[in-house]
Amino acid sequence: GAGVSQSPSNKVTEKGKDVELRCDPISGHTALYWYRQSLGQGLEFLIYFQGNSAPDKSGLPSDRFSAERTGGSVSTLTIQRTQQEDSAVYLCASSLVPPAETQYFGPGTRLLVL
Amino acid sequence: RKEVEQDPGPFNVPEGATVAFNCTYSNSASQSFFWYRQDCRKEPKLLMSVYSSGNEDGRFTAQLNRASQYISLLIRDSKLSDSATYLCVVNGGQGAQKLVFGQGTRLTINP
């Protein structure tokens, strides 16, 4: 069966440009999570969706970051006016239902802001 | 203080050795505990959940000490394929739906 997929797998952009990262969770998984992992660092929680709503968006680092989820499935993470410190791997995970017993991760999007 | 703390390592051990990692967490209300494994440039994958009574899966044994708020992972008869970063993971307090990841402990098994 299909796992969590993310696109693009790699993204290089110039400082100041906007980027959109996409996540397709496992079919039927109601919970979806976005994380960020900088080089050599642990995972940093960004936002959690239950269905289409986001009960916890406390990890979004600034108002340049936003995310949405439609149809209880695909999610898009948008970073506006990208900065060099936004360079990281952005990981998406999904789980069947909360609590987050077993989260299945996608392969990530490697973002490089020049 | 970080919510989940691990020794980042690296740990370099010979094949066949036994290796143990510890992890401490700060939120006494946490209810769920896990070890994830992350290979280089790959996504994290669940290795095992950690239960209060301790649990074993083949060569891997996980234990939880709620009083001291630490979690351990023991790997026996280590294999070259065990080389990875091991992430200690705790849920963010009762009712919280997010997982808090430790920085990870890097393990290299040498032939």
Side-chain angles (χ1 to χ4, degrees), chain B residues 18-81:
Chain B
T18 295
V19 61
F21 311 133
N22 287 332
C23 157
T24 59
Y25 61 95
S26 62
N27 191 335
S28 60
S30 294
Q31 298 292 327
S32 302
F33 311 91
F34 314 91
W35 285 101
Y36 275 69
R37 169 192 171 133
Q38 186 172 25
D39 292 292
C40 187
R41 296 181 67 82
K42 296 289 188 180
E43 69 273 22
K45 293 184 179 178
L46 179 69
L47 177 66
M48 58 195 305
S49 300
V50 186
Y51 303 119
S52 296
S53 56
N55 50 299
E56 187 175 308
D57 182 2
R59 298 181 294 106
F60 298 84
T61 301
Q63 293 197 317
L64 168 65
N65 184 319
R66 284 188 185 273
S68 301
Q69 295 182 207
Y70 81 77
I71 306 157
S72 65
L73 177 67
L74 181 78
I75 306 175
R76 291 183 301 279
D77 187 25
S78 53
K79 311 293 184 189
L80 296 177
S81 57

Side-chain angles (χ1 to χ4, degrees), chain A residues 10-30:
Chain A
N10 292 280
K11 177 71 177 179
V12 181
T13 190
E14 294 179 347
K15 178 182 174 181
K17 294 288 180 70
D18 297 351
V19 295
E20 281 191 355
L21 312 180
R22 176 187 167 107
C23 172
D24 268 291
I26 293 173
S27 178
H29 280 196
T30 61

Side-chain angles (χ1 to χ4, degrees), chain A residues 35-79:
Chain A
Y35 297 88
R36 178 168 73 173
Q37 187 171 34
S38 301
L39 189 63
Q41 301 299 311
L43 270 70
E44 175 188 7
F45 168 82
L46 298 178
I47 187 170
Y48 151 65
F49 285 94
Q50 176 57 33
N52 291 335
S53 64
D56 188 349
K57 54 180 75 173
S58 62
L60 295 177
S62 76
D63 59 7
R64 296 187 296 105
F65 287 73
S66 63
E68 65 175 11
R69 189 179 185 195
T70 55
S73 181
V74 172
S75 176
T76 302
L77 177 69
T78 301
I79 309 173

Side-chain angles (χ1 to χ4, degrees), chain A residues 15-16 64 81-88 111-114:
Chain A
K15 178 182 174 181
R64 296 187 296 105
R81 304 181 302 282
T82 51
Q83 304 294 312
Q84 289 182 332
E85 60 264 27
D86 298 336
S87 297
L111 175 66
L112 178 61
V113 182
L114 300 176

